């Protein structure tokens, strides 16, 4: 696949009938392009503090899009206005610096989806940076998906190793993003509005790119600068629901409500602003517009889909088969789009079984391919808009009518790969992986079905 980092609006649209994969990849690039920070930031930037006030502008932030968000601010901020700060992003997610763009914000890299010492150090530095600010100072916070892992500062009594273990357990449990981030917020000294409290009495303006169903800013990166309506009791219930162990002393603090987060209405948020600069819905609409420009009907199912990836794939397959075979509920040819954040529950395997590789998008494609059973005229692409599916080097995968047949010819049965969560191992020998590299933005899952 060609580079998704710098999509061109004038690139000709591939013919869907003769180049179905290229067409679907083109839709993906259109979705990514709509979410790039440089295209969406200017209208939301506040005015710098006046020189007379003596106020400073501090830029802080975390997320997979952190590097490109910081560069957008550097490019758009008045050249004569002071600017400083620190933003943390995922390893290998700092975009090339545009020629002539002056470096004014420090960028550091850390681990995702499991936190590491680099993320811990970055969080400590960010928290120290906002100490002692005044009402004349401005804090510009840049938040995007992935910030929960990248901005890690365990609650007192928790070690980094504890947070890593709990995070891995949450990721493998099948918990949805709001459940995971409820727990993360209550086990942190920086998430769930605590960073905003540390900035007081400075004014805080948060610019965020949504990667969560419903675009709730308190869930994106566990909402470090926005109020948290969830409770310690909810965090306890989630931990118990999924059988995730935490140290006994921490569980006691949670049960006592001693690790509660700042709530809506708290004075620390007075005068603060939150702006959603890019959303999954906007990206799906951009892809739909391209499909319609190519003469196809395009339908957006939802930008808020959740659930087990394989099961969501099967539901999409049932819909595609209904369109292909019965012309309902849509007439072909058409494109069906959806977004959201599905989950993958890692299945326990017999000892000695090779470890599966893959992420949400790949597992969706496995479930889809299994349910489609080679349905003619149906093609699909699912990919994460950040360019990385889970922890692999692919964004997602592509499914065609001959996918199952070509796999069987190589001795690969799709249900066996589903059983061990091995989407990467299934699609790699078929040439079905979609590889883009980091896109420097993140509005989560992108799924497109082409029915001819």
């Amino acid at each position: 696949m060609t580079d998704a980092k710098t999509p061109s609006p004038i690139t000709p649209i591939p013919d869907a009938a003769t180049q179905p994969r290229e067409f679907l990849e083109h839709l993906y690039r259109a979705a990514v392009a709509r979410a790039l920070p440089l295209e969406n930031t200017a209208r939301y930037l506040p005015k710098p503090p006046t020189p007379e006030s003596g106020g400073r502008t501090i830029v802080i932030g975390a997320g997979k899009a952190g590097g490109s968000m910081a560069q957008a601010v550097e490019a758009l901020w008045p050249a004569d206005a002071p600017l400083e700060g620190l933003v943390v992003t995922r390893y290998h997610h700092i975009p090339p610096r545009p020629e002539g763009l002056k470096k004014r914000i420090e960028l550091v890299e850390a681990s995702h989806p499991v936190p590491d010492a680099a993320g811990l150090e970055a969080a400590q530095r960010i928290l120290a940076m906002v100490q002692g600010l005044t009402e004349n100072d401005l804090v510009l916070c840049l938040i995007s998906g992935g910030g929960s892992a990248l901005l890690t500062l365990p609650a007192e009594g928790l070690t980094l190793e504890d947070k890593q273990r709990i995070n891995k357990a949450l990721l493998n449990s099948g918990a949805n993003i709001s459940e995971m981030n409820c727990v993360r917020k209550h086990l942190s000294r920086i998430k769930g509005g605590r960073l905003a409290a540390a900035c007081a009495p400075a004014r805080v303006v948060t610019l965020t790119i949504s990667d969560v169903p419903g675009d709730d800013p308190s869930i994106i990166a566990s909402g470090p600068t926005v109020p948290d309506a969830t409770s310690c009791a909810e965090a306890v219930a989630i931990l118990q629901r999924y059988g995730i162990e935490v140290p006994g002393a921490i569980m006691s603090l949670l049960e006592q409500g001693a690790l509660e987060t700042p709530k809506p209405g708290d004075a620390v948020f007075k005068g603060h602003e939150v702006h959603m600069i890019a959303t999954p819905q906007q990206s799906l609409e951009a892809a739909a517009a391209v499909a319609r420009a190519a003469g196809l009907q395009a339908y957006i199912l939802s930008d808020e889909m959740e659930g087990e990836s394989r099961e969501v794939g099967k539901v999409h397959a049932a819909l595609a088969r209904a369109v292909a075979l019965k012309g309902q509920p849509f007439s072909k040819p058409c494109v069906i789009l959806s977004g959201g954040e599905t989950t993958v529950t890692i299945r326990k395997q017999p000892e000695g079984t090779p470890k599966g590789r893959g992420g949400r998008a790949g597992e969706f494609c496995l479930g889809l391919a299994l349910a489609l059973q080679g349905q003619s005229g149906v093609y699909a692409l699912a990919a994460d808009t950040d360019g990385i599916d889970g922890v692999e080097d692919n964004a997602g995968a592509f499914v065609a009518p001959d996918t199952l047949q070509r796999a069987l010819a190589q001795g690969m049965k799709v249900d066996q790969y589903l059983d061990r969560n091995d989407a990467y191992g299934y699609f790699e020998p078929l040439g079905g992986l979609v590889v883009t590299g980091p896109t420097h933005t993140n509005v989560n899952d992108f799924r497109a079905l082409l029915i001819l």
Side-chain angles (χ1 to χ4, degrees):
M1 181 173 176
T2 53
D3 187 0
K5 291 176 282 189
T6 53
S8 170
I10 60 173
T11 302
I13 304 173
D15 178 64
T18 60
Q19 298 176 288
R21 177 167 181 164
E22 291 80 0
F23 175 78
L24 291 173
E25 290 176 349
H26 190 89
L27 298 188
Y28 171 81
R29 288 194 295 272
V32 168
R34 177 61 181 84
L36 291 175
L38 190 59
E39 306 300 321
N40 298 288
T41 299
R43 76 191 74 172
Y44 301 110
L45 284 178
K47 292 182 179 179
T50 62
E52 296 76 22
S53 72
R56 304 160 59 200
T57 299
I58 309 292
V59 180
I60 56 175
K64 298 175 188 176
S68 55
M69 293 180 82
Q71 288 186 1
V73 172
E74 288 174 324
L76 298 168
W77 200 251
D80 59 349
L83 190 69
E84 58 185 304
L86 173 65
V87 173
V88 57
T89 190
R90 186 175 181 169
Y91 289 120
H92 313 301
H93 276 58
I94 297 178
R97 178 163 290 275
E99 186 175 352
L101 181 62
K102 182 180 178 182
K103 185 175 178 62
R104 307 165 79 181
I105 303 166
E106 182 182 356
L107 292 173
V108 298
E109 296 177 322
S111 176
H112 178 279
V114 178
D116 68 356
L120 176 62
E121 181 184 2
Q124 291 170 330
R125 289 182 60 198
I126 286 173
L127 204 58
M129 189 174 288
V130 300
Q131 300 300 310
L133 298 180
T134 73
E135 62 273 8
N136 294 324
D137 296 317
L138 169 66
V139 176
L140 189 59
C141 190
L142 310 178
I143 295 297
S144 59
S148 291
L150 296 166
L151 200 66
T152 186
L153 196 58
E156 295 290 346
L158 272 183
T159 66
L160 175 61
E161 290 72 23
D162 289 329
K163 286 296 289 287
Q164 290 171 328
R165 177 184 56 78
I166 294 167
N167 212 61
K168 287 179 182 177
L170 284 167
L171 289 167
N172 292 340
S173 70
N176 65 37
I177 188 64
S178 62
E179 292 173 319
M180 287 194 285
N181 284 359
C182 173
V183 172
R184 288 162 166 168
K185 284 186 276 194
H186 288 91
L187 298 182
S188 172
R189 284 182 284 147
I190 198 168
K191 300 181 178 74
R194 292 188 174 96
L195 180 56
C199 294
R203 180 187 176 206
V204 178
V205 175
T206 300
L207 306 184
T208 186
I209 295 177
S210 175
D211 72 326
V212 302
D215 302 332
D216 184 345
S218 72
I219 299 176
I220 303 166
S222 297
T225 58
V226 296
D228 175 36
T230 68
S231 66
C232 284
E234 289 175 81
V236 169
I238 292 164
L239 290 167
Q240 293 175 341
R241 184 180 308 138
Y242 294 102
I244 297 171
E245 295 184 2
V246 299
I250 294 296
M251 181 60 82
S252 295
L253 290 173
L254 286 171
E255 291 172 341
Q256 297 164 19
L259 298 179
E260 206 49 270
T261 48
K263 300 303 175 195
D266 194 304
V268 300
F269 302 108
K270 185 178 180 180
H272 291 198
E273 299 176 23
V274 179
H275 300 288
M276 200 75 60
I277 70 169
T279 68
Q281 180 68 23
Q282 292 169 348
S283 286
L284 292 174
E285 289 172 355
V290 171
R292 291 168 187 144
L296 296 172
Q297 292 298 314
Y299 304 95
I300 298 174
L301 298 183
S302 173
D303 68 335
E304 299 187 32
M305 287 198 168
E306 298 182 90
E308 280 290 320
S309 294
R310 64 179 65 196
E311 301 304 324
V312 175
K314 293 174 184 177
V315 171
H316 280 64
L319 177 60
R321 284 174 61 85
V323 173
L325 297 173
K326 304 172 185 176
Q328 61 182 38
F330 311 126
S331 298
K332 61 181 182 180
C334 69
V335 170
I336 299 173
L337 301 165
S338 72
E341 182 163 2
T342 57
T343 53
V344 174
T345 302
I346 303 301
R347 269 63 176 173
K348 290 186 178 180
Q349 300 296 323
E351 190 172 346
T353 303
K355 183 179 179 181
R357 300 171 63 190
R360 299 190 308 265
E363 182 124 337
F364 168 89
C365 287
L366 284 179
L368 179 83
L370 176 61
L372 281 175
Q373 286 296 304
Q375 176 62 53
S376 63
V378 178
Y379 302 82
L381 181 148
D384 199 310
T385 51
D386 72 350
I388 303 296
D389 189 23
V391 296
E392 303 301 336
D393 58 4
N394 65 310
F398 171 76
V399 175
D402 64 350
T403 293
L404 290 185
Q405 182 181 0
R406 291 193 298 114
L408 283 172
Q410 297 185 39
M412 300 191 302
K413 296 181 178 180
V414 65
D415 54 338
Q416 294 177 351
Y417 284 80
L418 259 176
D419 285 344
R420 61 173 184 266
N421 305 107
D422 192 15
Y424 195 101
Y426 185 81
F427 287 104
E428 183 182 35
L430 300 176
L433 295 179
V434 176
V435 180
T436 67
T439 64
H440 309 300
T441 191
N442 180 27
V443 287
N444 238 320
D445 300 343
F446 173 87
R447 296 177 287 268
L449 279 66
L450 171 65
I451 301 110
L452 298 173

